[in-house]
């Protein structure tokens, strides 16, 4: 595969080549397995859109779900639709493509949206944990604190903050000189492979980006951990077994989602991955970027009676209209 470059004339008439596109290797699968893998990823993607779209519609159309907890959940499902769409469509094209190329600007646009949406998800999980803390630990004050207005403000903060975090790292990395090779052994434009392709070492930029990533991950995670520590203390004080079961059931689905998302995220961006094979990094990335958004609606709908009833209404309404 040939590498497209742009040329610039140096001070001593030496030609320097700058990369104008990258090659995303993705998963090295050939023959019939490639068709099977493509079909599997496509089905996974469509199911993710269907599941999260159903939750968005249920929250939108069912008046009983117009409460802060479900408004957060509806926005979270909407976020998951965009999150999985930032990588999977391009991945599907690459599976069938022979060139597997992505332009320089498209690579960094994908980088920006993928990480911004992932950061927004971290903030949403933290806000949802705070909502559960208020509902369980301060039930009498919950209606006056978590009003519709305050809920909307928190949602707006999550969205805006998530998309304001990454412009500076993106600009710093995009300004690095890339003069070849241009092969990224991944299915997304990730900072690790991009740093490896830079012609000039940039330890300060790397340190800044990895420190920033750690703050983005651990900040909301500590907030979630603190919220659920207080929730656990409050639940253990509940005298009746039925009350404890109900409280645990309310938070259980959220804790499963947090564990799935943060577990894989920390393996990828916090634990030392330089010695791990590229294939393992691809699998971990695939889990938190594609499988987790698919599992989330199943977890929330199967463990929540109100959500299951709302989804049945949406299904009936869709059947009638068809």
């Amino acid at each position: 595969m040939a590498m497209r470059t742009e040329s610039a004339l140096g001070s001593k008439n030496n030609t320097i080549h700058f990369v104008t596109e990258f090659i995303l290797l993705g998963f090295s699968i050939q023959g019939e397995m490639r068709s099977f893998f493509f079909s599997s990823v496509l089905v996974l993607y469509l199911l993710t859109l269907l599941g999260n779209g159903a939750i968005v519609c249920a929250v939108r159309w069912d008046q009983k779900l117009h409460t802060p907890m479900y408004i957060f959940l509806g926005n979270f499902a909407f976020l998951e639709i965009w999150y999985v769409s930032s990588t999977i469509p391009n991945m599907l094209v690459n599976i069938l493509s022979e060139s597997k190329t992505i332009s320089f600007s498209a690579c960094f646009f994908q980088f920006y949206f993928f990480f911004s949406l992932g950061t927004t998800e971290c903030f949403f999980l933290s806000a949802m944990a705070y909502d559960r803390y208020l509902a369980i630990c301060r039930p009498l004050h919950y209606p006056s604190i978590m009003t519709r207005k305050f809920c909307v403000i928190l949602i707006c903060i999550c969205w805006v903050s998530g998309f304001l975090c990454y412009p500076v790292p993106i600009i710093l990395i995009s300004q690095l000189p890339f003069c070849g090779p241009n092969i990224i052994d991944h299915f997304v434009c990730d900072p690790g492979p991009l740093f490896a392709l830079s012609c000039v070492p940039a330890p300060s930029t790397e340190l800044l980006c990895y420190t920033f990533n750690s703050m983005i991950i651990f900040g909301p995670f500590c907030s979630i951990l603190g919220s659920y520590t207080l929730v656990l203390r409050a639940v253990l004080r509940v005298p009746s077994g039925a009350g404890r079961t109900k409280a645990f059931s309310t938070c259980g689905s959220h804790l499963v989602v947090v564990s799935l998302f943060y577990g894989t995220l920390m393996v990828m961006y916090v634990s030392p991955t330089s010695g791990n094979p590229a294939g393992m990094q691809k699998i971990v990335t695939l889990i938190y970027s594609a499988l987790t958004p698919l599992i989330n609606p199943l977890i929330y709908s199967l463990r929540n009676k109100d959500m299951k009833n709302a989804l049945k209404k949406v299904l009936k309404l869709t059947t009638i209209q068809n």
Side-chain angles (χ1 to χ4, degrees):
M1 286 180 276
M3 176 180 68
R4 290 187 182 180
T5 59
E6 288 180 348
S7 299
L9 193 63
S11 58
K12 295 184 180 180
N13 294 327
N14 293 324
T15 301
I16 303 174
H17 299 281
F18 294 101
V19 169
T20 60
E21 63 182 20
F22 295 101
I23 297 172
L24 288 173
L25 290 184
F27 292 90
S28 300
I29 303 173
Q30 300 298 327
E32 294 181 359
M33 283 301 297
R34 181 162 70 170
S35 299
F36 174 76
F37 185 64
F38 174 85
S39 302
S40 301
V41 174
L42 178 60
V43 169
L44 182 149
Y45 178 57
L46 294 177
L47 288 175
T48 302
L49 297 182
L50 181 63
N52 286 287
I55 288 180
V56 172
C57 293
V59 174
R60 174 68 180 84
W61 292 338
D62 194 327
Q63 294 292 327
K64 292 182 179 179
L65 302 186
H66 290 183
T67 60
M69 183 178 76
Y70 293 110
I71 293 173
F72 278 123
L73 179 56
N75 274 269
F76 187 71
F78 181 70
L79 167 66
E80 294 286 53
I81 291 173
W82 288 104
Y83 185 52
V84 74
S85 297
S86 67
T87 56
I88 297 302
N90 185 72
M91 179 182 173
L92 289 170
V93 172
N94 271 14
I95 291 173
L96 300 180
S97 172
E98 294 299 330
S99 62
K100 303 183 183 297
T101 58
I102 183 171
S103 68
F104 186 90
S105 57
C107 180
F108 280 94
F109 269 117
Q110 185 194 60
F111 183 177
Y112 173 69
F113 282 105
F114 180 56
F115 276 81
S116 294
L117 290 165
T119 301
T120 305
E121 181 159 343
C122 290
F123 293 156
F124 258 108
L125 290 172
S126 179
M128 292 166 74
Y130 176 65
D131 175 68
R132 292 301 83 207
Y133 156 74
L134 289 177
I136 293 175
C137 298
R138 303 184 65 184
L140 298 179
H141 298 89
Y142 180 78
S144 60
I145 297 176
M146 189 56 71
T147 61
R148 181 75 64 86
K149 181 180 179 180
F150 184 54
C151 176
V152 171
I153 290 173
L154 285 179
I155 289 170
C156 291
I157 290 174
C158 290
W159 280 104
V160 174
S161 300
F163 278 84
L164 288 180
C165 284
Y166 271 92
V168 172
I170 294 289
I171 291 172
L172 290 175
I173 297 174
S174 65
Q175 295 303 310
L176 295 174
F178 297 94
C179 49
N182 67 335
I183 299 175
I184 299 176
D185 192 6
H186 214 312
F187 65 89
V188 295
C189 289
D190 198 69
L194 287 171
F195 278 125
L197 292 180
S198 175
C199 302
V200 179
S204 58
T205 304
E206 281 194 64
L207 179 61
L208 175 65
C209 290
Y210 286 123
T211 302
F212 187 74
N213 284 340
S214 297
M215 291 173 60
I216 290 296
I217 293 172
F218 279 109
F221 181 72
C222 290
S223 172
I224 294 169
L225 196 62
S227 295
Y228 278 105
T229 299
L230 295 174
V231 166
L232 181 61
R233 288 176 57 190
V235 169
L236 292 176
R237 292 189 185 131
V238 175
S240 67
R244 285 196 298 270
T245 302
K246 183 178 179 180
F248 275 124
S249 177
T250 303
C251 300
S253 56
H254 188 204
L255 283 171
V256 172
V257 171
V258 170
S259 300
L260 284 171
F261 182 71
Y262 271 99
T264 52
L265 204 63
M266 288 181 180
V267 168
M268 188 65 192
Y269 294 106
V270 177
S271 64
T273 57
S274 58
N276 293 343
M280 181 60 68
Q281 296 187 30
K282 294 176 194 177
I283 292 172
V284 173
T285 304
L286 186 64
I287 291 172
Y288 77 77
S289 66
L291 289 180
T292 303
L294 170 64
I295 296 171
N296 288 352
L298 295 175
I299 293 172
Y300 281 118
S301 60
L302 292 176
R303 292 180 62 87
N304 191 293
K305 183 179 179 181
D306 292 334
M307 181 57 68
K308 283 192 286 187
N309 292 334
L311 289 173
K312 288 177 183 177
K313 291 180 183 178
V314 171
L315 183 60
K316 288 180 181 177
L317 182 62
T318 305
T319 306
I320 293 172
Q321 288 179 345
N322 292 334

